[in-house]
Amino acid sequence: LELSFSAFSALLWFPKSSEKTRNLIKMSHTTEHPLETPWTFWFKHPAAGDRTTAYELFLHNMGTFKTVEEFWHHYVHLARPHLIQDHCLLACFRGNQRPMWEAFPDGGQVILKIRRKNFLDLLWEELLFAAIGEEFGEPEVVGVALSVRQKEDTLSVWLKNINKSILMRLQMRIRAILNLDETVPLEVKSNAQQLSQPSKSPAMTPIAGPAAIPPMSAAMPALAETKVKEAEVPKEKPAEATPKPEEKPAEAPKPAEAPKEEAKPAAAPSS
């Protein structure tokens, strides 16, 4: 089977891939290999400035693919995980579904925490190929995500709905695909639980849409009212100055009338 240039270069770049991964890479010039469902790459860059800004505003659609060939046209241009900046998210989800808790309120994630960067590239590659190749064998799987952090990175498999049986099967498949020992912990988090609690990292706080951000025009009337009230205060101060003319009733000429009454008794002896 003849390989295209992108497929051949991919084989050279990823020599440690499993046989299933190598089979996924193989392509021909004339025949395309459709996937069971379309998939979309998503990327979230670190929030700048106000860290309470809506999560969705920093989430970017990197392209949708529905065949193996289209997948490679996108994947070869993506940075390797160990080169991605801290506080970034790289995800691949079915169709146009987005990596947001609100999109799957009844779902959750199975999470693997990684502290050594030298394993990150290979583990992410295997997890990604397993997702688009339907190796999890679970229709409830809606996507996979890579979250890059300073101290430890995380790989997660997202589920549309979660229950004990689905989680047990999925954890077994993840351990088999990534060749993980039983002692390696796989954490489970429900989206409903995470939605009910504020995120410890404000930059990763998922807020439903730009509508969650109050427009500046909404704050303008309140600011205008305060300015009007402040402008009215000095106008009342001149009214308080009016008592000053009321002090004028204390006139000094009135005591001068008393001596006039003392002159009347002087007229009696003259008669």
Side-chain angles (χ1 to χ4, degrees), residues 38-42 61-66 70 74 93 95-96:
W39 293 79
T40 300
F41 278 116
W42 296 92
N61 186 324
M62 303 295 289
T64 301
F65 56 91
K66 58 183 181 296
E70 291 177 355
H74 290 85
F93 273 61
N96 289 319

Side-chain angles (χ1 to χ4, degrees), residues 1-269:
L1 180 65
E2 188 177 5
L3 300 180
S4 67
F5 174 79
S6 60
F8 179 72
S9 59
L11 285 171
L12 295 179
W13 291 345
F14 308 117
K16 296 182 180 180
S17 301
S18 63
E19 286 299 322
K20 290 184 179 180
T21 299
R22 291 174 176 272
N23 292 334
L24 182 63
I25 293 172
K26 293 179 180 180
M27 299 181 290
S28 69
H29 288 295
T30 58
T31 305
E32 288 191 344
H33 302 79
L35 302 172
E36 288 193 13
T37 63
W39 293 79
T40 300
F41 278 116
W42 296 92
F43 180 76
K44 190 205 78 71
H45 61 79
D50 183 6
R51 292 173 64 83
T52 62
T53 304
Y55 168 90
E56 187 178 8
L57 296 182
F58 296 94
L59 194 61
H60 301 281
N61 186 324
M62 303 295 289
T64 301
F65 56 91
K66 58 183 181 296
T67 66
V68 175
E69 290 76 14
E70 291 177 355
F71 162 77
W72 279 109
H73 287 317
H74 290 85
Y75 189 69
V76 295
H77 295 290
L78 297 178
R80 300 301 95 188
H82 74 276
L83 299 176
I84 297 177
Q85 185 181 354
D86 290 343
H87 302 291
C88 288
L89 174 77
L90 177 61
C92 187
F93 273 61
R94 291 188 190 275
N96 289 319
Q97 299 179 99
R98 295 173 293 181
M100 298 179 64
W101 299 334
E102 293 86 350
F104 313 100
D106 298 325
Q109 306 115 52
V110 178
I111 301 172
L112 170 65
K113 295 182 179 180
I114 305 170
R115 294 186 178 181
R116 299 181 63 180
K117 293 281 187 182
N118 53 334
F119 293 124
L120 188 60
D121 291 8
L122 180 60
L123 292 176
W124 165 245
E125 177 190 315
E126 294 287 357
L127 197 70
L128 177 60
F129 290 167
I132 66 175
E134 306 296 342
E135 290 189 41
F136 293 119
E138 187 57 63
E140 295 296 328
V141 172
V142 292
V144 292
L146 161 67
S147 182
V148 181
R149 292 291 182 270
Q150 185 175 5
K151 294 183 179 180
E152 61 181 12
D153 308 311
T154 62
L155 297 177
S156 58
V157 180
W158 286 54
L159 293 163
K160 185 177 182 180
N161 295 285
I162 57 173
N163 58 52
K164 291 184 178 179
S165 60
I166 292 176
L167 290 174
M168 288 181 63
R169 292 196 302 268
L170 182 59
Q171 287 176 324
M172 291 179 62
R173 289 301 300 151
I174 292 175
R175 292 186 187 280
I177 292 168
L178 300 183
N179 194 24
L180 301 178
D181 190 82
E182 290 293 334
T183 59
V184 177
L186 292 175
E187 185 179 357
V188 177
K189 288 186 177 181
S190 69
N191 293 343
Q193 181 182 2
Q194 295 183 91
L195 284 169
S196 63
Q197 299 176 356
S199 175
K200 294 181 179 179
S201 177
M204 288 296 295
T205 303
I207 303 176
I213 306 175
M216 288 298 295
S217 58
M220 291 297 286
L223 293 175
E225 289 177 4
T226 55
K227 290 181 180 179
V228 171
K229 291 179 181 179
E230 291 174 358
E232 291 175 354
V233 173
K235 291 180 181 179
E236 294 176 356
K237 289 182 179 179
E240 294 176 356
T242 51
K244 292 182 180 179
E246 292 178 359
E247 297 175 357
K248 293 180 181 178
E251 297 178 356
K254 289 183 179 179
E257 295 177 358
K260 292 179 181 180
E261 294 177 356
E262 292 176 356
K264 291 179 181 178

